[in-house]
Amino acid sequence: MRLFVALELPEELLEALSETSAALRDSVRGRYVAPDRFHVTLAFLGEVAGTRVGSASSAVAQACAGHGPLPVALGELGSFGRRNSAVLWQGVEGGELLDALARDVRASLKDAGFSLDDKSFLPHVTLMRAADLTKGALPMPALARGVVDTVTLFSSDLSGAHPVYTPLERFFLG
Ligand code: ATP
Ligand code: MG
């Protein structure tokens, strides 16, 4: 199965992200991510045998044990990829605490034998895919602050019309 580890966000942040997404609807064409799928990916494991889920779960548990609740703030809009078919996201600022959490989760998964990419960690919430950024200006994003206290191991099923994420296990911070 396809696995990833992500932060689930507190209500204040989800509300602001929904506001940003609603504002984007008036100015950008593309595929919108439904608000119930908003998350911040810490590590993407890709296809993993079902028999290794337990091992992934222990690795994440071990990494999270050393971390407490995480104050975060929403930041600017940004994009990956081509201007006419971009991934459009809103940045998440969590400073050194968030960087350290992502580093520890990734290191722990690597120690357990999972292969992860070596891209530098740029915390964000994806709001749109296949976004056409060639026309018009982007709106100002809605901002918010909150405290994250949950890291979740998700499976991702891409076989349907839209991705379905299923929480397999949740790890509380602090
Ligand atoms: P779709 O691929 O259909 O657009 P999705 O990207 O939301 O949907 P997945 O591809 O299963 O679903 O990805 C789950 C999470 O992992 C998302 O946050 C995605 O951005 C991230 N992710 C996917 N592939 C990678 C990768 N190669 N490296 C880093 N993160 C990834
Ligand atoms: Mg994907």
Side-chain angles (χ1 to χ4, degrees):
M1 57 180 87
R2 190 176 173 94
L3 299 182
F4 67 102
V5 179
L7 299 179
E8 293 190 84
L9 298 170
E11 203 52 47
E12 309 91 284
L13 269 74
L14 293 176
E15 275 170 23
L17 288 159
S18 296
E19 265 180 58
T20 303
S21 177
L24 285 168
R25 272 171 202 273
D26 298 328
S27 45
V28 185
R29 294 168 64 108
R31 273 192 292 127
Y32 286 83
V33 174
D36 63 350
R37 289 196 287 276
F38 289 160
H39 64 273
V40 181
T41 300
L42 299 179
F44 176 73
L45 290 85
E47 267 320 304
V48 163
T51 52
R52 298 196 66 210
V53 172
S55 154
S57 176
S58 329
V60 178
Q62 214 170 54
C64 289
H67 292 268
L70 196 67
V72 296
L74 293 178
E76 296 303 297
L77 295 177
S79 66
F80 297 134
R82 289 177 290 134
R83 296 253 310 144
N84 63 353
S85 183
V87 170
L88 182 62
W89 46 260
Q90 185 163 1
V92 174
E93 295 160 5
E96 174 53 28
L97 287 178
L98 175 53
D99 287 347
L101 175 64
R103 210 185 308 123
D104 287 351
V105 166
R106 298 169 63 97
S108 183
L109 286 166
K110 281 190 174 178
D111 285 348
F114 295 93
S115 50
L116 306 175
D117 65 71
D118 285 315
K119 280 186 283 185
S120 64
F121 176 59
L122 201 170
H124 65 275
V125 178
T126 296
L127 299 178
M128 293 186 71
R129 293 202 163 74
D132 181 0
L133 305 179
T134 61
K135 301 181 189 72
L138 292 177
M140 292 295 291
L143 301 178
R145 294 179 174 279
V147 178
V148 171
D149 62 6
T150 314
V151 172
T152 305
L153 175 65
F154 284 101
S155 66
S156 171
D157 177 358
L158 300 183
S159 63
H162 56 72
V164 175
Y165 307 144
T166 305
L168 301 179
E169 194 142 5
R170 291 195 164 97
F171 309 93
F172 292 98
L173 302 170

